[in-house]
Structure formats: C-alpha cells, structure tokens
C-alpha cells in the first residue's frame, strides 16, 4: 500500500512522522523473522512503538505492569509475544540450517536472539538434542527496540 504524504504550499513533501518510519522498520524486521502474521506481532509492534515514542526501555518497569496498560489480561499478551518470539527463533534456526551465511540469519542470530539458543534450536531441528532453544522476552524486546532505533 502506497502512502501519500501531505504537501506544503510550495509542493514540498512533508516527511512522515518519526514513529511511522520506526514502525515500518519494525514491521520489516518482523517480516524478515517470518512472524508478522503471528498474533503476538501486533502486540510487539504496539509495545515497541509505545516504548520508542516515549524514549523508554523495559528496564524502567516490569513487563507485566507495562503490558497491563495495553490489555486487561497482560499475561495473555505476554504469552502471545513469547510464542511469536519463539516462532522467530525457530524460523531463524531453519534459515541457518539451510544457509549459514544467509543475511537474515547472520544479522539477527546474535542481535535479537542469543546465538547459543539459536544453535541449540538448530541442534534440536537436526535431532542432535532433545531441548529447544529458548527466548528471554525482555532481552528480545530490548534488542528489537534498539535495533530498530539504530538502523
């Protein structure tokens, strides 16, 4: 979908607001991870954009307290986010198995996720291990916020 930007009297294009640019970068990252269609991706976008707009990080308050501002049931929001982040980990591990030098894999396997956990998931997929990789939600969300702010 193409967006039209408002123009001034001199027909100069006014750039979109910063949060709109930030949100498109965030959506792009979630697409690369293959989780944009997950229910939790909407929650991730809402939360990360909210933090960005207020120049906050997750260190400043608990995840439960923060999510309670968006929903009456913050635990279910947290679970949706956890599932989406875990799906992203699995997708990333599959990319790494197919092509270890894949741009998406090399870019995100050590920034958004803990590389040891990505390797653990890869071992699980290859049936070399009986344990899945795990995702620390707070670290994932902070890394996602930082990555999207600095791209």
């Amino acid at each position: 979908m193409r967006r039209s930007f408002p123009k001034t009297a001199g027909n100069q294009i006014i750039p979109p607001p910063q949060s709109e640019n930030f949100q498109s970068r965030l959506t792009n990252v979630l697409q690369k991870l293959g989780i944009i269609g997950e229910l939790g991706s909407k929650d991730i976008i809402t939360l990360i954009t909210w933090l960005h707009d207020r120049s906050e990080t997750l260190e400043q308050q608990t995840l439960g307290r923060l999510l309670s501002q968006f929903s009456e049931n913050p635990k279910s929001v947290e679970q949706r986010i956890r599932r989406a982040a875990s799906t992203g980990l699995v997708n990333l591990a599959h990319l790494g198995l197919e092509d270890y030098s894949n741009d998406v894999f090399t870019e995100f396997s050590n920034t958004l996720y803990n590389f040891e956990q990505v390797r653990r998931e890869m071992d699980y997929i290859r049936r070399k291990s009986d344990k899945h990789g795990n995702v620390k939600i707070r670290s994932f969300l902070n890394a996602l916020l930082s990555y999207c702010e600095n791209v």
Side-chain angles (χ1 to χ4, degrees):
M1 178 170 85
R2 193 169 207 181
R3 296 181 187 210
S4 61
F5 301 115
K7 296 183 180 184
T8 63
N11 262 351
Q12 294 176 336
I13 295 176
I14 298 172
Q18 282 299 99
S19 65
E20 196 171 306
N21 286 333
F22 178 82
Q23 219 170 4
S24 68
R25 287 192 303 265
L26 178 59
T27 302
N28 187 31
V29 170
L30 297 179
Q31 283 175 335
K32 287 180 180 179
L33 291 174
I35 60 174
I36 197 67
E38 297 287 320
L39 288 176
S41 69
K42 290 178 183 71
D43 298 316
I44 291 171
I45 291 169
T46 301
L47 174 63
I48 297 297
T49 303
W50 188 88
L51 288 169
H52 170 72
D53 290 346
R54 285 160 184 74
S55 299
E56 292 186 26
T57 62
L58 285 168
E59 279 90 31
Q60 295 162 338
Q61 53 187 312
T62 65
L63 189 58
R65 182 178 295 156
L66 185 60
L67 294 175
S68 67
Q69 296 178 25
F70 302 107
S71 171
E72 300 219 358
N73 193 351
K75 292 206 181 265
S76 65
V77 174
E78 184 176 351
Q79 186 60 34
R80 287 194 302 263
I81 290 173
R82 186 176 308 283
R83 284 188 187 127
S86 295
T87 300
L89 175 70
V90 171
N91 292 344
L92 205 56
H94 278 284
L95 282 175
L97 288 174
E98 290 174 19
D99 179 11
Y100 201 72
S101 63
N102 180 294
D103 291 339
V104 174
F105 177 76
T106 56
E107 190 172 0
F108 298 128
S109 62
N110 204 22
T111 53
L112 300 183
Y113 295 96
N114 181 328
F115 186 73
E116 292 175 28
Q117 296 304 317
V118 176
R119 288 294 305 259
R120 183 189 236 181
E121 185 64 30
M122 290 167 72
D123 287 344
Y124 178 81
I125 293 167
R126 281 187 250 153
R127 296 189 176 140
K128 289 185 176 182
S129 171
D130 59 346
K131 290 186 178 182
H132 284 280
N134 61 17
V135 180
K136 294 188 179 188
I137 299 303
R138 180 179 287 279
S139 298
F140 171 76
L141 293 171
N142 273 328
L144 186 59
L145 174 64
S146 177
Y147 181 85
C148 291
E149 286 178 339
N150 297 318
V151 171

